[in-house]
């Protein structure tokens, strides 16, 4: 342990470090919702976050107009009552001019207004607590850090943030525009960034504004690179690992109802970064609340003893929005006489509302400008409570890879065979997905260029090698899980055939694969690609599983059918939760804008009623989430490659993201609520396979002098 490490505070029972992230609550905007803030902090409580960061967007830009009106009204009242003439501050024995007096009065009124806003926020933002690691019987207050955005908050937001610290001891304000946050116990560094310039970067692609902000900071700073950048105010959900880009970054959803679009806003919710104690790859979680926001009016409940007409009026406004009495009558939604409707509406507008347990009615207001009736928007913003889904929750855990390129000298075979099973077991995945390019193939004279491992210079051998590599990953996971079941339950109980089948089913991964462009090169010669691969993989797994069971003195009838049923060639499939998945391998090149391809794959998936897209071919990794009006929250995980590069990519100065991807999806009633993601790669660059060493191994068997390359 280093001297620096020994100085770090040690917390009993401390394991992973968890950081809560949220952005753009936009207080005093039309889209502000206290219910969203409550949902965010409720989620942070469940997560047990060790500290939370508001990454820009504390207040609305409209606050400046409100303050101007407030100052004008106060000044008018002050002049009318002539109080300023009696004020000691204003008199100063006549030493202060009238202009200076006006400036002082303006500053005083502005401060009073902003202090009032800060006090309101202090009451609205919950105080987060977690069990004290040193004494679990007590609660520990979790710090809330605020990084304001000059582009979104302005000077007013910065002032409110500092005034907020005077109201709450748990709130701290760090540098506007961005600051660096050390993650204690795991020796990691987060750099939270917010826009400092006016947002002109309107784009269809979520990565564009985020990466522009990061690139500007990198050009400006003299500090070292963090482990991960966190970009706020973009209202998007992206996880981009380091590899293709020289940095890793994530973006944060918005914490308000989206009313207008300054950049490519889409996501409402919060996100969490979890750093493991072993220093491994961070986990990125996105909790989506846009389903809740999209149906917020459904949480409105008619007050007790409402008449049938009043209930129908309330339901009409919940479905159609603001309306006149004439609209209700003409649309025959409320099929009553005009006088009866007017009387019912009059009583609704006179009804005073207050929050009681079980009540969720905001009251009805007549809006003079539009001459329409609608619910009290201020009440909805501040007091409406959202209801969480009451149905059962489902978890789907997937580990996915793409571009294994079996047969290539560049593939990291050691990482794939040795590390992938560990990742699957650590993340408790039950599904393994292969998004294409299982083999390297022989097109473009790859064998003649020396890019094929010696001895793998035909498609059949490459397919057999791929089957054994992937089969080894699956069998290692199976052995570990089945052995654990034997240990926990006892061998005598496992002798029952039903139990054996049950634990084979639990222990054996479900494997889905599709064809990639490298796989289909041979179709022009009249061959069906990966047919040998499929048959070899089924045979390999049957032999290894049956052999393992026999060694335990166990037997299972119908094992061949079980194994064959777990190896599936699919472009689309359905998870146990009912969510639909699209596996894609677009025959396209990557793009400079990193989220273009994931967004395109997600759009293609949605057109086939799939909420999840898993794809690759671009040798880059990225996770992008997007909410859809029909399907709700959707997600695409774009996968890198098991290679560390290729001559083709290096000749075009392209870097790659190497490794596999992990995805956990929590859903209810086929609607995604939470997505957890991480990308795992080899800890170091592995050089290509040296074919000369293979040749020399062959020659040395016969005592022949080895070949020396110039």
């Amino acid at each position: 342990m280093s001297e620096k490490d020994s100085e770090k505070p040690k917390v009993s029972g401390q394991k992973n470090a968890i950081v809560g992230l949220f952005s753009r609550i936009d207080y005093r905007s039309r889209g502000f919702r206290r219910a969203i803030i409550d949902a965010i902090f409720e989620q942070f409580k469940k997560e047990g976050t060790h500290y939370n960061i508001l990454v820009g967007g504390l207040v609305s830009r409209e606050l400046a107009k409100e303050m101007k009106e407030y100052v004008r009204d106060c000044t008018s009242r002050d002049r009318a009552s002539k109080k300023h003439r009696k004020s000691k501050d204003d008199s100063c024995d006549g030493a202060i001019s009238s202009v200076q007096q006006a400036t002082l009065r303006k500053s005083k009124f502005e401060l009073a207004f902003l202090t009032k806003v800060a006090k309101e926020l202090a009451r609205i933002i919950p105080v987060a607590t977690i069990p004290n690691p040193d004494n679990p019987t007590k609660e520990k207050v979790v710090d809330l850090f605020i990084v304001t955005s000059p582009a979104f908050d302005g000077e007013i937001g910065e002032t409110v943030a500092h005034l907020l610290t005077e109201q709450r001891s748990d709130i701290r304000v760090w540098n506007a525009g961005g600051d660096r946050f050390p993650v204690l116990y795991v020796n990691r560094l987060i750099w939270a960034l917010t826009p400092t310039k006016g947002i002109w970067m309107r784009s269809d692609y979520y990565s564009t504004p985020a990466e522009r902000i990061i690139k500007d900071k990198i050009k400006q700073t003299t500090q070292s690179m963090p482990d991960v950048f966190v970009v706020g105010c973009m209202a998007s959900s992206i996880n981009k690992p380091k590899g293709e880009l020289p940095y890793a970054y994530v973006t944060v959803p918005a914490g308000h109802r989206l009313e207008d679009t300054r950049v490519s806003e889409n996501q409402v919710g919060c996100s969490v970064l979890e750093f493991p104690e072993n220093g491994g790859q961070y986990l990125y979680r996105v909790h989506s609340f846009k389903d809740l926001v999209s149906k917020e009016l459904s949480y409105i409940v008619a007050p007790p003893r409402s008449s049938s007409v009043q209930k129908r009026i309330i339901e009409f406004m919940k479905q159609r929005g603001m309306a006149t009495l004439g609209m209700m009558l003409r649309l025959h939604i409320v099929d009553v006489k005009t006088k009866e409707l007017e009387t019912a509406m009059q009583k609704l507008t006179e009804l005073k509302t207050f929050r009681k347990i079980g009540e969720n009615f905001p009251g009805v207001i007549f809006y003079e400008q539009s001459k329409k009736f609608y619910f009290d928007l201020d009440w909805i913003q501040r007091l409406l409570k959202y209801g969480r889904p009451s149905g059962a929750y489902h978890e789907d855990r997937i580990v996915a890879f793409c571009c294994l390129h079996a047969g290539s000298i560049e593939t990291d075979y050691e990482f794939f065979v040795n590390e992938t099973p560990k990742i699957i077991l650590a993340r408790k995945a039950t599904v393994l997905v292969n998004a294409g390019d299982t083999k390297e193939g022989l097109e473009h004279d790859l064998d003649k260029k020396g890019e094929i491992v010696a001895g793998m210079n035909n498609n059949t051998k490459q397919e057999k090698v791929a089957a054994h590599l992937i089969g080894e990953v699956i069998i290692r996971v199976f052995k570990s899980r089945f052995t654990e079941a034997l240990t926990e339950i006892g061998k005598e109980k496992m002798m029952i055939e039903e139990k054996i089948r049950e634990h084979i089913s639990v222990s054996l991964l479900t494997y889905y694969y599709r064809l990639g462009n490298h796989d289909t090169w041979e179709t022009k010669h009249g061959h069906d690609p990966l047919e040998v691969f499929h048959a070899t993989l089924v045979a390999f797994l049957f032999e290894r599983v049956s052999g393992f069971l026999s060694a335990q003195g166990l037997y299972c009838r119908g094992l061949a059918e079980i194994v064959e049923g777990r190896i599936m060639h699919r472009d689309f499939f359905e998870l146990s939760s009912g969510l639909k998945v699209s596996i894609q391998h677009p025959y396209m090149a990557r793009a400079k804008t990193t989220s273009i391809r994931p967004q395109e794959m997600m759009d293609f998936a949605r057109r086939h009623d799939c909420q999840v897209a898993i794809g690759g071919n671009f040798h880059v990794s990225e996770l992008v989430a997007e909410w859809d009006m029909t399907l709700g929250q959707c997600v695409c995980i774009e996968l890198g490659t098991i290679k560390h590069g290729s001559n083709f990519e290096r000749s075009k100065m392209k870097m790659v993201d190497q490794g596999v991807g992990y995805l956990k999806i929590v859903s209810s009633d086929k609607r995604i609520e939470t997505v957890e993601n991480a990308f795992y790669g080899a800890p170091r660059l592995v050089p290509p396979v040296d074919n000369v060493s293979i040749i020399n191994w062959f020659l040395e068997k016969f005592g022949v002098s080895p070949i020396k390359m110039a």
Side-chain angles (χ1 to χ4, degrees):
M1 181 184 296
S2 67
E3 184 176 325
K4 183 178 180 180
D5 290 335
S6 65
E7 295 175 355
K8 294 180 180 178
K10 302 298 180 184
V11 180
S12 175
Q14 175 71 37
K15 291 186 178 180
N16 296 357
I18 306 173
V19 181
L21 306 168
F22 66 117
S23 177
R24 296 283 305 280
I25 65 173
D26 284 10
Y27 184 58
R28 293 288 188 98
S29 71
R30 184 179 176 84
F32 169 78
R33 295 292 186 273
R34 184 172 184 173
I36 298 178
I37 298 176
D38 289 340
I40 288 171
F41 277 82
E42 179 185 336
Q43 194 62 55
F44 289 164
K45 178 79 172 179
K46 290 179 182 177
E47 292 267 7
T49 54
H50 297 110
Y51 64 86
N52 304 312
I53 309 175
L54 172 62
V55 195
L58 176 64
V59 299
S60 167
R61 293 288 289 185
E62 299 300 313
L63 201 62
K65 295 180 181 178
E66 286 190 46
M67 185 173 70
K68 188 175 182 180
E69 292 174 2
Y70 176 86
V71 171
R72 185 176 62 245
D73 292 343
C74 288
T75 302
S76 298
R77 289 196 301 269
D78 201 34
R79 286 173 178 169
S81 62
K82 299 182 180 180
K83 287 183 178 180
H84 63 281
R85 294 181 181 176
K86 301 177 182 179
S87 171
K88 293 181 179 179
D89 294 335
D90 293 343
S91 61
C92 293
D93 298 327
I96 299 178
S97 67
S98 59
V99 174
Q100 290 174 316
Q101 290 178 21
T103 302
L104 287 173
R105 283 196 300 274
K106 180 182 176 184
S107 299
K108 181 178 68 175
F109 294 143
E110 287 178 345
L111 180 60
F113 174 81
L114 297 179
T115 301
K116 179 175 177 289
V117 171
K119 288 180 178 179
E120 291 171 357
L121 278 169
R123 291 191 297 269
I124 289 169
I125 299 174
V127 177
T129 60
I130 56 172
N132 192 323
D134 294 323
N135 186 356
T137 61
K138 295 183 178 180
E139 291 285 303
K140 175 185 176 182
V141 175
V142 176
D143 288 331
L144 170 60
F145 295 90
I146 296 177
V147 177
T148 59
S149 165
F152 281 87
D153 293 293
E155 293 183 9
I156 289 178
E158 178 76 0
T159 303
V160 170
H162 284 283
L163 291 171
L164 194 51
T165 63
E166 298 175 7
Q167 306 294 324
R168 293 262 298 269
S169 60
D170 60 313
I171 294 178
R172 306 180 186 185
V173 179
W174 283 25
N175 289 337
D179 215 330
R180 295 158 68 90
F181 293 84
V183 185
L184 299 181
Y185 319 118
V186 295
N187 194 29
R188 289 289 181 266
L189 183 67
I190 291 172
W191 198 335
L193 295 178
T194 62
T196 58
K197 305 172 184 177
I199 300 299
W200 68 95
M201 297 172 286
R202 287 292 301 275
S203 171
D204 289 335
Y205 305 109
Y206 303 126
S207 61
T208 300
E211 290 177 16
R212 181 71 269 157
I213 290 168
I214 295 171
K215 289 173 183 176
D216 286 348
K217 174 54 65 175
I218 290 174
K219 290 177 181 178
Q220 170 265 317
T221 190
T222 58
Q223 295 179 291
S224 61
M225 192 73 73
D227 292 285
V228 57
F229 285 104
V230 174
V231 184
C233 298
M234 300 296 102
S236 61
S237 297
I238 297 175
N239 180 21
K240 186 76 176 77
K242 182 179 179 181
E244 176 205 15
L245 299 180
Y247 52 82
Y249 78 89
V250 301
T251 61
V252 187
H256 73 287
R257 181 187 179 102
L258 299 175
E259 295 287 345
D260 57 1
T261 303
R262 299 181 65 186
V263 285
S264 302
E265 288 108 328
N266 174 270
Q267 294 284 284
V268 176
C270 63
S271 54
V272 170
L273 283 176
E274 180 175 348
F275 296 86
E277 60 179 337
N278 63 6
Q281 185 62 35
Y282 64 81
L283 290 169
Y284 172 69
R285 281 189 289 278
V286 177
H287 302 284
S288 175
F289 301 143
K290 203 166 183 181
D291 272 352
L292 300 177
V293 175
S294 68
K295 57 183 180 182
E296 66 179 5
L297 294 185
S298 68
Y299 304 124
I300 293 175
V301 180
R305 297 183 297 278
S306 300
S307 68
S308 61
V309 175
Q310 289 174 332
K311 289 179 180 177
R312 291 163 71 182
I313 291 172
I314 291 169
E315 288 303 315
F316 177 86
M317 290 191 296
K318 285 166 63 173
Q319 295 174 17
R320 298 297 186 95
M322 302 180 84
T324 64
L325 295 179
M327 290 170 61
M328 295 182 188
L329 290 170
R330 283 194 299 274
L331 293 172
H332 303 292
I333 302 300
V334 181
D335 189 15
V336 295
K337 295 180 180 179
T338 303
K339 188 64 177 177
E340 186 180 358
L341 182 62
E342 290 175 350
T343 302
M345 182 63 85
Q346 181 64 29
K347 290 182 178 180
L348 275 179
T349 57
E350 292 174 354
L351 183 65
K352 293 183 178 180
T353 62
F354 53 94
R355 194 75 173 84
K356 285 184 178 180
I357 296 174
E359 291 188 8
N360 225 12
F361 180 66
V364 175
I365 292 177
F366 179 69
Y367 290 86
E368 187 66 36
Q369 290 183 338
S370 61
K371 306 297 182 185
K372 292 180 179 180
F373 292 92
Y374 197 55
F375 301 113
D376 184 345
L377 290 174
D378 185 66
W379 195 98
I380 289 174
Q381 287 184 318
R382 296 171 179 269
L383 296 174
L384 184 69
K385 301 293 183 183
Y386 291 163
R388 302 305 291 268
S390 56
Y393 284 87
H394 299 273
E395 269 192 11
D396 296 296
R397 293 173 179 256
I398 303 166
V399 167
F401 66 93
C402 187
C403 301
L404 173 62
H405 292 290
S408 170
I409 62 172
E410 305 272 2
T411 296
D412 194 333
Y413 300 98
E414 181 182 2
F415 165 81
F416 184 74
V417 172
N418 293 333
E419 298 304 318
T420 305
K422 296 176 185 176
I423 294 166
I424 293 170
L425 291 168
R427 301 270 60 93
K428 300 179 181 179
T430 58
V431 176
L432 179 64
V433 174
N434 173 3
D437 280 358
T438 302
K439 64 183 179 184
E440 178 72 346
L442 300 172
E443 203 68 19
H444 307 301
D445 295 327
L446 293 177
D447 54 338
K448 298 178 180 63
K449 293 176 181 176
E451 296 189 31
I452 304 297
V453 176
M456 297 191 203
N457 58 343
N458 71 48
N459 287 300
T460 301
K461 290 178 182 177
Q462 289 183 15
E463 289 191 21
K464 288 183 176 181
V465 169
H468 280 246
L469 291 170
I470 294 168
E472 185 63 29
V473 170
I474 296 172
I475 199 66
R476 289 189 187 186
V477 173
F478 171 80
K479 285 182 177 180
S480 177
R481 288 177 174 169
F482 201 89
T483 301
E484 185 179 353
L486 279 174
T487 304
E488 290 181 357
I489 297 175
K491 187 175 178 180
E492 65 283 358
K493 296 182 180 179
M494 292 291 294
M495 296 301 291
I496 304 172
E497 188 171 341
E498 289 75 11
K499 281 286 184 182
I500 296 174
R501 294 178 67 89
E502 176 186 332
H503 288 286
I504 289 174
S505 178
V506 171
S507 304
L508 192 61
L509 289 166
T510 302
Y511 171 71
Y512 296 97
Y513 72 96
R514 67 155 296 152
L515 302 177
N517 56 306
H518 280 242
D519 302 318
T520 57
W521 282 342
E522 64 182 274
T523 56
K524 67 181 182 180
H525 301 301
H527 300 159
D528 289 333
L530 298 192
E531 287 293 309
V532 172
F533 163 80
H534 189 112
T536 304
L537 179 57
V538 171
F540 174 89
L541 287 175
F542 173 74
E543 179 184 348
R544 296 293 296 273
V545 171
S546 59
F548 176 76
L549 292 176
S550 297
Q552 307 296 323
L554 303 174
Y555 173 75
C556 177
R557 284 178 294 182
L559 179 60
E561 289 77 11
I562 295 174
V563 171
E564 193 164 2
R566 292 303 182 93
I567 310 301
M568 286 178 271
H569 176 195
R570 298 280 191 278
D571 289 353
F572 301 94
F573 69 92
E574 191 171 296
L575 293 165
S576 60
S577 61
L579 295 173
K580 294 182 180 179
V581 182
S582 166
I583 312 177
Q584 298 176 43
H585 193 98
Y587 291 14
M588 306 164 72
R590 72 172 78 171
K592 282 287 186 181
T593 303
T594 60
S595 69
I596 284 181
R597 299 299 181 234
Q599 287 182 242
E600 288 175 335
M601 287 191 283
M602 193 157 34
D603 183 59
F604 180 83
R606 286 199 303 266
R607 289 172 178 266
H608 292 82
D609 297 323
C610 296
Q611 299 99 317
V612 182
I614 301 173
N617 189 31
F618 314 109
H619 291 194
V620 295
S621 301
E622 187 167 2
L623 178 119
V624 179
E626 182 175 274
W627 191 86
D628 179 77
M629 295 173 67
T630 303
L631 298 174
Q633 183 79 327
C634 298
V635 62
C636 176
I637 179 170
E638 180 186 25
L639 302 161
T641 174
I642 308 301
K643 299 166 76 169
H644 288 280
S646 65
N647 285 332
F648 174 79
E649 285 160 321
R650 286 188 287 271
S651 68
K652 294 181 178 295
M653 297 182 292
K654 292 182 178 180
M655 303 295 289
V656 303
D657 289 323
Q658 189 274 340
V660 301
Y662 156 69
L663 185 65
K664 182 179 84 171
I665 303 169
V666 180
S667 62
S668 176
D669 194 25
K670 300 182 183 179
R671 304 284 285 196
I672 296 174
E673 291 197 17
T674 299
V675 171
E676 179 179 83
N677 163 247
F679 294 103
Y680 298 93
R684 63 188 181 280
L685 182 68
V686 176
V689 173
D690 183 4
N691 278 333
V692 173
S693 66
I694 297 175
I695 295 170
N696 284 338
W697 167 82
F698 174 78
L699 292 176
E700 287 169 6
K701 288 177 62 179
F702 307 103
V704 179
S705 298
I707 296 172
K708 294 181 180 179
M709 298 299 292

